[in-house]
């Protein structure tokens, strides 16, 4: 008996101890989250819950009304939703976001931040009115997405859908606000399978001008790669201090960078890079627009107006676009003016950089103690001696030390006019460029500066062909020294007999058809061409120097391991592909794409060493199979 009583007492003691410990742990780990907040936070959280519940009730009632065949106006439903909240001065999600601007593509943030607070995992975040939150950070209530701005559906009816060519962030609702600034997130995760019939040893960006001739063992050696490098993330921050003023900041990144340690052996550790990063100021009443930062060049074709994120980009996967498209993506300062958002004028001052072909100048010049590098230039016909030309330096602080940068005396300047009509979008532009070199003439010991002007004119269009389901898009750029603006990167300049950089004549152009058999399907086909002219001189040794020379021995271009220094004359391409948006919901969207590009490369004519003409040519095929997941759409 005593033993049983003793065991019972010990059992009760253990049980009491377990209950005490359990109660303590329960209090520690299950303490209501609202008890941690002050009264203002608790009240704000309850209000947010009530608004969310009211929105859910309203959504259910709408579904029931549809089943019963009842027709209720949106105004009546919104009024009922406000009544159901039971809160004095309660706001709907639409009111919380503020009224939208005249431009439907971009929604302004409210002048006064909303007072409601959202929940994140049941824990309330401090509202702007809370004195303990100096930064004014606030999640937008979930009810705003349900009532005011539902998840954006992808629409592939555009000739250049921003969900494919950019990140479609403009069409998404804000995720949170900081003070008076709303923040939108956009982007996608991508996986591409890339197949080429010639080995380029390249990722998801094809160097179109580098398809090898038959002398190179890589010619006809197929290449297979799988890459997620083009996965993108973007952030759009915007505010409207006044009704007629909009401020925006946009940052877009992917993983197209490759550090010195990047490889695909065990870990494909490719690095993030900045695709775009700029801010804009818009005064709507004046039609005034200002952009500063890194963005698509004003040379790029546009689908509407001259505003950023409205570029007419081909809906392709390859990060180097397609041959024939004119573009760069560089730092710039741009000012623009619109008249009733129908007629546009823009001026852009853009970061310069040149490409130089010095392949016929076999010797190099590098003065002692200088980062300058250049070429030894043979004398022209009737001249004597050899001069040295300097035109580039190795990268310095915050630049890539493994590459060269040309010595640019002035930025590139683009002036463009555009018109949006009922028959489509049309634009014309002019481009101005300057190229500089230093030369040391025969018998001299000091340098002379030389500056040459280059540039060209261009045009673009985007227009429907009798129906909104079929569009025509095209662009052209012609001039001297404009090779930088084509994906094939034909040379901007070469050297003359005095060591001066002289622009090479070039034409860049493309024409495409974009079709939309269904809202979820986009099909496209593009044809493009990039061609360069001759810019050469006759040396006193009887040989030609420069670009487009015709006396090179090109007999080895068709023999494996043969010598081939052919200069590219023309690249012609044909691209076809499409996208299918096959899944969508509150979990995001999925899209699949297929792209095929055929390219033909023609060299300037040479000889076989026996006086017979030789015209080297080669071709290439690329195929992309791509899948993208859009978590924000």
């Amino acid at each position: 008996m005593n033993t049983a009583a003793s065991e019972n007492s010990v059992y009760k003691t253990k049980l009491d101890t377990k209950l005490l410990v359990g109660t303590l742990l329960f209090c520690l780990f299950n303490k209501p989250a609202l008890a941690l907040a002050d009264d203002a936070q608790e009240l704000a959280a309850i209000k947010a819950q009530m608004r969310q519940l009211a929105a859910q009730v309203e959504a259910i009632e709408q579904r029931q009304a549809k089943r019963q065949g009842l027709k209720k106006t949106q105004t009546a439903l919104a009024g009922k939703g406000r009544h159901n909240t039971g809160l004095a001065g309660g706001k709907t999600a639409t009111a919380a976001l503020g009224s939208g601007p005249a431009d439907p593509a971009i929604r302004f943030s409210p002048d006064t931040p909303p007072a409601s607070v959202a929940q994140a995992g049941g824990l309330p975040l401090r509202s702007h009115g809370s004195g303990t939150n100096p930064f004014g950070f606030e999640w937008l209530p979930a009810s705003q997405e349900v009532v005011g701005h539902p998840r954006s559906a992808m629409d592939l009816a555009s000739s250049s859908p921003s969900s494919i060519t950019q990140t479609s962030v403009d069409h998404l609702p804000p995720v949170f606000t900081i003070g008076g600034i709303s923040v939108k997130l956009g982007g996608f995760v991508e996986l591409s399978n890339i197949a080429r019939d010639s080995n380029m040893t390249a990722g998801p960006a094809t160097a179109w001008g580098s398809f090898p001739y038959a002398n190179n063992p890589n010619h006809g050696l197929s290449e297979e790669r799988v890459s997620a490098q083009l996965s993108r993330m973007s952030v759009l921050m915007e505010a409207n201090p006044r009704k007629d003023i909009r401020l925006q900041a946009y940052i877009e990144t992917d993983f197209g960078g490759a550090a010195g340690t990047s490889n695909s052996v065990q870990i494909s550790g490719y690095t993030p890079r900045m695709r775009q990063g700029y801010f804009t100021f818009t005064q709507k009443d004046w039609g005034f627009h200002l952009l500063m930062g890194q963005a698509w060049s004003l040379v790029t074709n546009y689908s509407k107006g001259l505003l950023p994120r409205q570029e007419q980009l081909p809906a392709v996967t390859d990060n180097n676009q397609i041959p024939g498209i004119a573009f760069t993506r560089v730092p710039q300062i741009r000012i623009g003016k619109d008249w009733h958002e129908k007629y546009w004028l823009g001026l852009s001052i853009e970061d310069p950089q040149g490409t130089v072909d010095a392949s016929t100048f076999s010797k190099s010049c590098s003065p002692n103690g200088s980062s300058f590098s250049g070429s030894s230039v043979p004398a022209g016909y009737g001249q004597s001696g050899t001069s040295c030309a300097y035109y580039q330096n190795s990268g310095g602080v915050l630049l890539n030390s493994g590459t060269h940068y040309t010595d640019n005396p002035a930025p590139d300047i683009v002036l463009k006019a555009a018109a949006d009509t009922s028959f489509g979008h049309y634009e014309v532009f002019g481009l101005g460029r300057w190229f500089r070199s230093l030369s040391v003439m025969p018998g001299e010991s000091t340098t002379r500066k030389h500056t040459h002007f280059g540039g060209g004119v261009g045009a673009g269009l985007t227009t429907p062909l009798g129906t909104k389901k079929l569009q025509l898009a095209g662009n052209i750029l012609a001039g001297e020294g404009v090779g930088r603006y084509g994906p094939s990167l034909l040379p901007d300049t070469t050297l003359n007999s005095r060591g001066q950089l002289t622009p090479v004549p070039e034409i860049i152009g493309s024409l495409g058809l974009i079709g939309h058999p269904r809202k979820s399907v986009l099909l496209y086909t593009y044809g493009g061409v990039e061609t360069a002219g001759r810019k050469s001189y006759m040396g006193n040794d009887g040989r030609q120097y420069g670009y487009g020379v015709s006396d090179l021995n090109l007999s080895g271009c068709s023999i494996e391991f043969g010598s081939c220094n052919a200069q590219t004359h023309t690249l012609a391409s044909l691209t076809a592909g499409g996208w299918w948006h096959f899944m969508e919901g509150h979990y995001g969207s999925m899209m699949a794409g297929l792209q095929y590009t055929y390219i033909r490369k023609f060299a300037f004519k040479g000889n076989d060493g026996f006086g017979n003409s030789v015209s080297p040519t080669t071709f290439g095929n690329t195929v992309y199979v791509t899948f993208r997941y859009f978590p924000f759409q």
Side-chain angles (χ1 to χ4, degrees):
M1 294 288 294
N2 292 337
T3 303
S6 176
E7 290 177 353
N8 189 39
S9 175
V10 171
Y11 174 79
K12 288 184 178 180
T13 302
K14 290 181 178 180
L15 182 61
D16 291 342
T17 303
K18 291 180 179 179
L19 289 174
L20 180 61
V21 173
T23 303
L24 179 61
L25 291 175
F26 179 84
C27 293
L28 287 175
F29 293 101
N30 292 276
K31 185 175 182 180
L34 294 179
L36 298 176
D38 55 21
D39 292 341
Q41 293 175 315
E42 185 175 359
L43 180 60
I46 293 173
K47 289 180 178 179
Q49 290 176 351
M50 294 178 69
R51 291 189 179 93
Q52 185 175 4
L53 291 173
Q56 293 174 354
V57 169
E58 182 178 345
I60 294 173
E61 289 179 347
Q62 288 179 358
R63 290 198 297 269
Q64 290 177 343
K66 288 181 179 180
R67 293 191 191 103
Q68 298 171 4
L70 299 178
K71 296 182 179 179
K72 297 183 178 182
T73 63
Q74 186 65 28
T75 305
L77 290 173
K80 187 172 182 179
R82 287 192 295 268
H83 176 72
N84 287 338
T85 61
L87 299 173
K91 298 181 180 179
T92 64
T94 303
L97 280 175
S99 58
D103 184 356
I106 304 174
R107 289 185 289 272
F108 284 14
S109 303
D111 291 338
T112 304
S116 58
V117 232
Q119 299 179 50
L123 294 176
L125 293 173
R126 296 184 177 93
S127 67
H128 296 300
S130 175
T132 57
N133 183 21
F135 299 106
F137 181 91
E138 179 182 2
W139 291 101
L140 293 178
S143 59
Q144 290 183 359
E145 180 178 339
V146 176
V147 179
H149 295 283
R151 183 180 292 274
S152 173
M154 289 188 183
D155 187 355
L156 302 186
S158 168
S159 59
S160 181
S162 58
S163 57
I164 298 174
T165 59
Q166 311 272 352
T167 58
S168 197
V169 68
D170 288 281
H171 303 287
L172 299 175
V175 177
F176 57 85
T177 65
I178 302 177
I181 302 173
S182 70
V183 180
K184 301 180 180 182
L185 302 179
F188 52 80
V189 178
E190 176 184 296
L191 181 68
S192 285
N193 185 81
I194 311 153
R196 302 184 180 98
D197 64 352
S198 286
N199 185 19
M200 310 287 290
T201 317
T206 306
W208 303 110
S210 299
F211 272 93
Y213 292 99
N215 70 304
N216 192 324
N218 282 321
H219 176 76
L221 181 66
S222 62
E223 176 182 30
E224 169 69 22
R225 299 194 182 275
V226 179
S227 175
Q229 285 181 263
L230 297 187
S231 299
R232 295 183 197 169
M233 181 69 184
S234 66
V235 180
L236 175 63
M237 296 159 280
E238 60 181 8
N240 55 304
R242 295 204 319 248
K243 185 178 180 180
D244 60 336
I245 292 180
R246 178 173 66 235
L247 298 174
Q248 292 184 319
Y250 181 72
I251 298 176
E252 180 182 292
T253 66
D254 64 9
F255 297 86
T261 56
S262 297
N263 64 77
S264 298
V265 177
Q266 188 176 56
I267 299 175
S268 294
Y270 295 95
T271 55
R273 63 169 186 170
M274 181 173 68
R275 284 177 57 87
Q276 299 189 76
Y278 57 83
F279 69 89
T280 61
F281 170 87
T282 299
Q283 220 294 348
K284 196 168 184 65
D285 291 346
W286 299 345
F288 175 78
H289 308 273
L290 173 68
L291 180 149
M292 292 187 179
Q294 179 165 307
W296 293 95
S297 167
L298 192 58
V299 163
T300 310
N301 200 15
Y302 283 74
S303 60
K304 181 181 179 181
L306 296 178
L307 295 179
R309 302 186 300 282
Q310 295 290 334
E311 293 85 3
Q312 177 61 51
L313 302 172
V316 298
T317 299
D318 198 295
N319 205 48
N320 201 21
Q321 304 291 315
I322 57 177
I325 296 292
F327 75 94
T328 58
R329 200 169 56 238
V330 295
Q332 59 193 272
I333 300 173
R334 184 193 305 180
I335 57 175
K337 174 73 170 72
D338 76 77
W339 288 267
H340 308 291
E341 297 186 359
K342 185 176 181 180
Y343 302 104
W344 305 76
L345 186 65
L347 175 66
S348 185
I349 300 172
E350 304 184 355
D351 182 53
Q353 191 61 221
T355 57
V356 182
D357 183 275
S359 58
T360 57
F361 304 94
S362 56
K363 297 181 180 179
S364 63
C365 295
S366 296
N368 294 330
S370 173
S371 61
F372 257 120
S373 63
S375 301
S376 176
V377 181
Y381 184 78
Q383 300 174 343
S384 60
T386 300
S387 60
C388 275
Y390 307 105
Y391 46 85
Q392 59 188 15
N393 282 277
S394 300
V397 178
L398 293 184
L399 294 179
N400 186 354
S401 60
T403 191
H404 291 91
Y405 297 81
T406 53
D407 182 26
N408 309 297
D412 291 358
I413 296 179
V414 185
L415 178 64
K416 176 177 280 190
D420 293 308
T421 72
S422 58
F423 303 103
H425 171 87
Y426 304 90
E427 57 186 48
V428 293
F429 65 91
L431 167 66
R433 309 191 67 194
W434 288 265
F435 307 99
R436 183 169 63 189
S437 64
L438 302 177
S439 68
V440 179
M441 302 303 293
E444 299 181 1
S445 59
T446 58
T447 61
R448 299 182 183 183
K449 295 180 182 179
H450 308 283
T451 301
H452 276 203
F453 175 79
V457 294
L461 64 86
T462 303
T463 181
L465 293 179
T467 173
K468 292 182 179 180
K469 291 189 176 182
L470 184 62
Q471 291 127 350
L472 177 70
N475 68 277
I476 188 170
L477 171 61
E480 292 190 340
V482 298
R484 172 202 191 192
Y485 288 86
S488 302
L489 288 179
L490 295 175
D492 291 319
T493 61
T494 187
L495 295 167
N496 64 14
S497 62
R498 301 181 62 83
Q500 301 170 343
L501 292 178
T502 59
V504 175
E506 287 147 337
I507 297 177
I508 301 168
S510 71
L511 195 64
L513 288 174
I514 303 98
H516 318 276
R518 299 180 58 186
K519 183 179 179 180
S520 60
V521 176
L522 179 144
L523 303 175
Y524 59 83
T525 180
Y526 276 88
V529 63
E530 298 181 40
T531 184
R534 300 179 185 273
K535 185 69 70 167
S536 60
Y537 72 92
M538 181 67 70
N540 62 1
D541 57 0
R543 296 181 56 190
Q544 297 179 33
Y545 296 92
Y547 196 75
V549 301
S550 59
D551 61 351
L552 295 176
N553 186 339
L554 304 179
S555 59
C557 293
S558 58
I559 302 172
E560 191 170 19
F561 297 110
S563 176
C564 181
N565 56 346
Q567 297 175 316
T568 301
H569 180 23
T570 300
L571 294 108
S573 68
L574 176 66
T575 299
W579 290 92
W580 177 32
H581 174 213
F582 62 89
M583 189 169 66
E584 181 181 78
H586 288 289
Y587 42 76
S589 296
M590 287 287 293
M591 192 179 295
L594 177 65
Q595 175 194 337
Y596 165 75
T597 298
Y598 172 80
I599 188 166
R600 190 86 180 183
K601 182 168 73 170
F602 302 89
F604 284 99
K605 291 183 178 181
N607 62 75
D608 62 356
F610 300 97
N612 300 311
S613 179
V614 174
S615 300
T617 184
T618 189
F619 65 90
N621 297 276
T622 66
V623 176
Y624 276 78
V625 179
T626 304
F627 294 92
R628 287 180 179 176
Y629 169 56
F630 299 79
F632 304 106
Q633 293 180 265

